[in-house]
Amino acid sequence: MAVKDRDRFSTATRLKLLGEQTAARVYRSQTKRQARRSRLTGRAALLALVLCSLVVALAYPIRQYVSQRAEIADLERQRAQARERVEQLRDLKARWQDDAYAEQQIRQRLHYVMPGETGYVVIDPDAAKQARADQGAADRPWYSNVWDGVDKSDATDQ
């Protein structure tokens, strides 16, 4: 047993033990490092770079395509409205070709009457008051009208 104790404390034994402990620590740190090591490999990084470059390269053309499609849809809507307006105008033109419709419109719009008829014009009292109020504004100096407009706009804001 004395030999065993002597070997235990010998320099060679201590160095051997110290080397084994150091090797065990290095091995543990390497395994931890490998476990913590990112799973991003060179191939994955290259793939990510290629995908990012494709997204950047295709972003502008796709945006242009979408905006052009929106513009085309807007123009088609305007064309449909223009066609509808043309149809309305054709119908109106066809109606004006009829003498009875033309006579009716002349009577309504121009207040014409046939010979022997008596024409009457009924005036709306509210419209007459409004016309008088507008006429009163024309008789005053311009700066009074400006201040009245400012006062009216302030009243509507409140």
Side-chain angles (χ1 to χ4, degrees):
M1 211 173 217
V3 175
K4 192 174 183 184
D5 286 336
R6 199 173 32 151
D7 285 342
R8 186 172 146 200
F9 294 111
S10 72
T11 307
T13 307
R14 277 194 234 149
L15 285 176
K16 185 177 176 186
L17 183 64
L18 189 62
E20 289 173 359
Q21 290 174 349
T22 306
R25 275 193 226 125
V26 168
Y27 178 73
R28 275 185 291 190
S29 68
Q30 283 179 351
T31 56
K32 286 181 183 176
R33 234 184 278 144
Q34 287 175 353
R36 281 186 285 153
R37 187 175 163 192
S38 175
R39 295 182 187 258
L40 183 67
T41 62
R43 287 182 182 174
L46 184 63
L47 180 64
L49 181 66
V50 167
L51 288 177
C52 289
S53 63
L54 281 175
V55 166
V56 168
L58 294 177
Y60 183 73
I62 289 174
R63 189 181 72 174
Q64 288 294 325
Y65 174 77
V66 169
S67 67
Q68 287 174 357
R69 294 304 304 169
E71 186 177 348
I72 288 170
D74 186 40
L75 290 174
E76 286 176 352
R77 183 185 51 79
Q78 287 178 4
R79 186 181 75 188
Q81 288 177 348
R83 283 185 179 173
E84 185 177 318
R85 179 69 179 145
V86 166
E87 288 299 319
Q88 290 173 354
L89 290 174
R90 283 184 182 153
D91 292 343
L92 184 63
K93 182 181 175 184
R95 274 191 256 146
W96 276 102
Q97 298 299 321
D98 184 19
D99 290 336
Y101 179 78
E103 182 181 326
Q104 175 192 7
Q105 291 299 312
I106 290 170
R107 284 175 170 247
Q108 283 181 354
R109 295 180 184 189
L110 302 176
H111 303 289
Y112 278 18
V113 292
M114 296 299 286
E117 293 179 352
T118 305
Y120 296 98
V121 177
V122 179
I123 298 174
D124 185 19
D126 294 332
K129 288 179 187 175
Q130 181 66 29
R132 276 188 244 124
D134 291 342
Q135 199 174 35
D139 295 338
R140 297 185 304 175
W142 66 270
Y143 48 85
S144 297
N145 294 336
V146 170
W147 283 117
D148 286 343
V150 170
D151 290 337
K152 286 179 185 176
S153 67
D154 285 342
T156 58
D157 289 343
Q158 295 173 357

